[in-house]
Amino acid sequence: MRKVLRLKKAVARARQTLNDEAAGLDAASLAKRAGDAATEMALWEEELEGVREELAELIAECDRWRIAHDKLRERIERHALEPRTDADAPPRSAKIVSPPRMMPASGESQQDFSAIDQELARLNESMMAAFSSE
């Protein structure tokens, strides 16, 4: 925007200068001033091209934002906002019940696995507590 304002002021100054000097100049001086004005107008054209490029970039960015906004709105309209989990569902960290042990069919010598069972139960509880805390 500043570039456009600078160009507008420069054009106004040049127009005023040419109008003031045109009445009192001879042909040679008038030709030199016309050459200077043509050179300055070429600089203005370059500035205007820069402004046009910046404006094109801004328009493209605005279009990208509008497209992204439209896609987001379509996605929101298409998908209902529902909770991902059931609020009434029991927590997943419930204690796992182990199946009952099968008794051997014959009267073979029985080993005492109660110490192992207690250790496994303790490990199971500590693992479940660790998983539920995460």
Side-chain angles (χ1 to χ4, degrees), residues 10-11 14-15 17-18 21 29-45:
V11 169
R15 183 178 294 136
T17 303
L18 286 175
E21 293 178 358
S29 297
L30 193 56
K32 182 180 182 316
R33 292 299 293 157
D36 292 344
T39 304
E40 192 169 344
M41 289 174 75
L43 294 174
W44 296 342
E45 288 178 10

Side-chain angles (χ1 to χ4, degrees), residues 26-111:
D26 60 350
S29 297
L30 193 56
K32 182 180 182 316
R33 292 299 293 157
D36 292 344
T39 304
E40 192 169 344
M41 289 174 75
L43 294 174
W44 296 342
E45 288 178 10
E46 291 175 10
E47 288 288 324
L48 284 173
E49 181 63 22
V51 168
R52 187 200 63 78
E53 289 173 358
E54 289 177 10
L55 184 61
E57 290 173 7
L58 287 173
I59 290 171
E61 184 177 353
C62 181
D63 290 343
R64 285 191 297 270
W65 278 101
R66 185 175 294 126
I67 289 169
H69 179 264
D70 290 344
K71 285 182 179 181
L72 182 61
R73 187 172 2 140
E74 286 175 12
R75 181 179 270 172
I76 288 173
E77 288 172 358
R78 220 179 308 146
H79 300 295
L81 297 176
E82 298 174 358
R84 292 181 184 221
T85 60
D86 186 14
D88 298 331
R92 293 185 182 184
S93 63
K95 187 174 180 180
I96 300 174
V97 179
S98 59
R101 293 182 159 257
M102 298 291 290
M103 296 305 281
S106 64
E108 299 173 357
S109 65
Q110 300 260 340
Q111 292 184 351

Side-chain angles (χ1 to χ4, degrees), residues 2-15 44 48:
R2 284 186 231 150
K3 287 183 180 181
V4 172
L5 290 175
R6 268 190 272 136
L7 286 172
K8 192 174 181 179
K9 289 178 183 178
V11 169
R13 279 193 312 268
R15 183 178 294 136
W44 296 342
L48 284 173

